[in-house]
Amino acid sequence: MDIETDYLIVGAGASGLAFADSLLAEADVDVVLVDRRSHPGGHWRDVYPFVRLHSPSAYYGVNSMPLGQDRLIESGRNKGFYEQAGGDEICTYFESVVEHLTSTGRSRFLPAHDHLGGEGNEHQVRDLRSGDVHTVRVRRRVVDAAYLETSVPATHQPSFTVAPEASFEPVNALPEVADSFQRFTVVGSGKTSVDACLWLLDHGVAPDRIRWIRPRDMWFNDRAHLQPLDQVGQTMEGIACDPEAAAKAHDITDRFERLEAFGRLMRIDPGVWPTMYRATMLSQPELEELRHIEDVVRLGRVRSIDADRLVLDDGEVPTGSEVLHVDCSAIGLRVSKAVPIFGADRIVLQQVRYGSPTFNSGLLGFIESRDVSDEDKNRLSPPYPHPSSIEDWGPMMRLTWMAELGWSQEPEVASWVASSRLNLMRALPEHLDEPHTQEAVGRYLEYVGPAIERLSAPA
Ligand SMILES: Cc1cc2nc3c(=O)[nH]c(=O)nc-3n(C[C@H](O)[C@H](O)[C@H](O)COP(=O)(O)OP(=O)(O)OC[C@H]3O[C@@H](n4cnc5c(N)ncnc54)[C@H](O)[C@@H]3O)c2cc1C
């Protein structure tokens, strides 16, 4: 079977779908989406059962279809914030997105198909069920929506060895097996490990039964500053702190101290200076809860889990058969080198505005639909690699602010951004009469120029 299309989109995760959705809404083109997985949604198909979006559903997904109902959470540690969809809801949502795209008659989805590569405009995909290889002729471009593919514990290969006698499970298994263990060792420093610890605490595991292996401590954004719609004013207050800190600070440490003093960034242990920053978020009550876990091991990365001890880069700790080792060590968002997004025959989806993966892909789909040169498209879309350390915050913010400035000078792009449901700030104009919001906008405008200048200067 030979297939012909305008765009071959490799990867039907959130990024590929958000791109396809915006492109199809604006241009009379045909797209084919392929994915190795047998359903759309990417890594969300393999997440742990108790996962939820970290950000509100209100600005996640694709531009043309709402996710959730913009309700406020009524109880628990995120009470008062906008609802965050769980894994099943997200997967069902992406199934509906594919149905919607297919209903246009201009989109096809090939599940369980591996993109093998290609030359020029001819690409090969293998049907993983039959083994058959098909040629896809691409009239316009191939879209690489897997360049930043997300790695999750259920499907990744841990970087350390595990003795057969040790009990070791991906975080996904917790609900099934937790009752059989006395003690838990959570391996990983990122948001997944946070979710694992909170799940254990919520299920009656006393903090002193949990050991947390944290090779690096992490800075978290306060969830209060990432709320859309009626809470956009407090989000603006948080956002204004970024350029002010960048403009005034004399080095990275000073910058993070200022962001912490503003309440923009938070750390679990006030006595330990985090070196990791991954643009993820927590609420204050979540942070307080996590502080109850005191057995934190900071001896670098795990090298092996043996029957009676854990070997780490900088030492060892004892373990035993009563301990479940919970794997939360997958990298999550891949940190890949930034490359130009719009190439001659290939588009490589990457991050442009910080902390907004689906907004970025939707915007890139819109930009691709415009009749402008690739040079202009790339000017509007300077990519940054996913951040990993505190050193990455400056370049990420500088590129975000420069991109936003570029969008504001292009009426069509500015109009798409202003009306997109994926834009965290879309309700801002309706809240400009609030004094604290006005003050925050003023502060942002005052500092963003000096901040770009400061961050552009050689270190
Ligand atoms: C636990 C967790 C929670 C998160 N919460 C949020 C949140 O609240 N808000 C937010 O904005 N972001 C969140 N993220 C970030 C999230 O990763 C992105 O929002 C988004 O889901 C990433 O989608 P993607 O399409 O880029 O990547 P993926 O989901 O990894 O999809 C890439 C797809 O490409 C396919 N693929 C790769 N290579 C090939 C090939 N050769 N042929 C065919 N198919 C191929 C893969 O099978 C995969 O399905 C979270 C991430 C994690 C891990």
Side-chain angles (χ1 to χ4, degrees):
M1 175 183 65
D2 277 7
I3 301 163
E4 209 167 308
T5 186
D6 294 319
Y7 292 90
L8 171 63
I9 302 180
V10 180
S15 300
L17 291 170
F19 178 91
D21 177 74
S22 299
L23 178 64
L24 286 166
E26 298 291 333
D28 185 16
V29 294
D30 182 85
V31 309
V32 169
L33 285 138
V34 292
D35 203 297
R36 286 179 186 141
R37 287 184 163 94
S38 46
H39 294 274
H43 77 86
W44 290 106
R45 310 295 319 189
D46 295 306
V47 284
Y48 34 105
F50 50 92
V51 76
R52 305 205 78 81
L53 274 178
H54 304 158
S55 56
S57 306
Y59 60 95
Y60 192 80
V62 305
N63 195 35
S64 72
M65 276 180 66
L67 170 61
Q69 278 147 4
D70 300 343
R71 283 178 296 229
L72 297 183
I73 299 169
E74 287 179 3
S75 59
R77 287 181 291 254
N78 289 315
K79 186 176 171 190
F81 292 142
Y82 280 95
E83 65 179 291
Q84 301 154 226
D88 287 347
E89 186 183 351
I90 297 170
C91 290
T92 306
Y93 170 81
F94 283 129
E95 297 272 3
S96 310
V97 168
V98 166
E99 273 172 36
H100 162 67
L101 297 181
T102 308
S103 74
T104 63
R106 294 180 286 125
S107 173
R108 284 164 282 174
F109 174 45
L110 304 182
H113 276 68
D114 193 7
H115 176 244
L116 303 175
E119 257 184 50
N121 66 350
E122 288 213 348
H123 284 250
Q124 276 71 45
V125 294
R126 173 178 288 124
D127 184 335
L128 297 171
R129 294 158 301 194
S130 66
D132 294 347
V133 174
H134 306 295
T135 297
V136 183
R137 292 202 170 73
V138 184
R139 290 188 288 261
R140 294 194 184 188
R141 309 203 227 212
V142 172
V143 180
D144 185 351
Y147 185 67
L148 300 178
E149 190 174 0
T150 306
S151 165
V152 290
T155 49
H156 89 139
Q157 180 64 40
S159 61
F160 43 85
T161 56
V162 182
E165 304 83 6
S167 297
F168 177 77
E169 294 286 353
V171 57
N172 303 50
L174 266 185
E176 258 178 60
V177 303
D179 283 348
S180 315
F181 291 88
Q182 278 308 306
R183 304 188 64 78
F184 300 87
T185 291
V186 175
V187 181
S189 314
K191 186 62 172 66
T192 301
S193 68
V194 163
D195 286 351
C197 291
L198 290 173
W199 187 91
L200 287 166
L201 295 168
D202 283 346
H203 287 78
V205 176
D208 62 0
R209 289 169 57 201
I210 303 171
R211 167 174 282 168
W212 193 349
I213 309 287
R214 291 215 300 260
R216 296 191 293 167
D217 273 43
M218 174 145 90
W219 289 103
F220 295 93
N221 279 98
D222 186 337
R223 175 166 285 125
H225 297 149
L226 286 149
Q227 298 299 310
L229 305 174
D230 285 346
Q231 296 178 21
V232 75
Q234 76 198 35
T235 298
M236 189 65 230
E237 288 178 77
I239 283 179
C241 301
D242 296 335
E244 184 173 348
K248 289 183 174 170
H250 51 79
D251 62 18
I252 291 179
T253 305
D254 186 19
R255 197 184 295 154
F256 275 73
E257 280 172 353
R258 286 170 187 271
L259 289 166
E260 185 179 35
F262 286 140
R264 175 74 168 147
L265 293 182
M266 314 184 300
R267 50 178 149 162
I268 298 172
D269 187 338
V272 175
W273 183 253
T275 57
M276 182 173 172
Y277 175 76
R278 302 225 66 200
T280 187
M281 67 185 92
L282 273 186
S283 63
Q284 294 273 1
E286 286 174 327
L287 192 82
E288 295 302 329
E289 193 73 30
L290 291 167
R291 286 183 174 151
H292 292 122
I293 300 174
E294 292 178 356
D295 184 3
V296 178
V297 176
R298 295 186 178 88
L299 292 172
R301 288 175 183 275
V302 175
R303 291 188 179 178
S304 68
I305 301 179
D306 301 342
D308 59 351
R309 60 185 189 150
L310 253 85
V311 181
L312 300 110
D313 288 339
D314 302 323
E316 294 182 5
V317 288
T319 193
S321 57
E322 77 289 5
V323 180
L324 175 66
H325 304 88
V326 185
D327 183 23
C328 302
S329 69
I331 180 76
L333 303 173
R334 190 189 284 165
V335 182
S336 298
K337 186 171 155 271
V339 296
I341 290 179
F342 295 93
D345 48 17
R346 187 165 172 249
I347 296 172
V348 185
L349 299 187
Q350 292 158 84
Q351 301 309 307
V352 184
R353 175 193 263 182
Y354 84 96
S356 314
T358 57
F359 166 85
N360 288 328
S361 298
L363 176 65
L364 294 174
F366 174 79
I367 290 178
E368 170 61 4
S369 75
R370 301 295 90 186
D371 187 18
V372 294
S373 68
D374 282 349
E375 197 184 337
D376 279 341
K377 289 177 180 175
N378 280 321
R379 185 179 49 76
L380 289 166
S381 323
Y384 70 83
H386 276 310
S388 168
S389 70
I390 53 175
E391 283 78 18
D392 301 329
W393 185 93
M396 175 187 82
M397 295 310 303
R398 183 175 64 84
L399 289 168
T400 290
W401 293 324
M402 287 169 58
E404 289 178 337
L405 193 64
W407 306 337
S408 68
Q409 290 162 357
E410 300 283 336
E412 283 188 332
V413 178
S415 156
W416 188 91
V417 170
S419 62
S420 172
R421 67 163 287 271
L422 302 175
N423 176 11
L424 162 66
M425 304 306 289
R426 80 180 188 277
L428 185 62
E430 295 140 44
H431 292 264
L432 284 177
D433 55 349
E434 297 161 1
H436 64 284
T437 309
Q438 270 174 28
E439 185 277 331
V441 171
R443 206 149 50 89
Y444 174 86
L445 293 173
E446 178 184 351
Y447 288 110
V448 71
I452 291 176
E453 208 172 304
R454 182 129 211 177
L455 293 175
S456 304

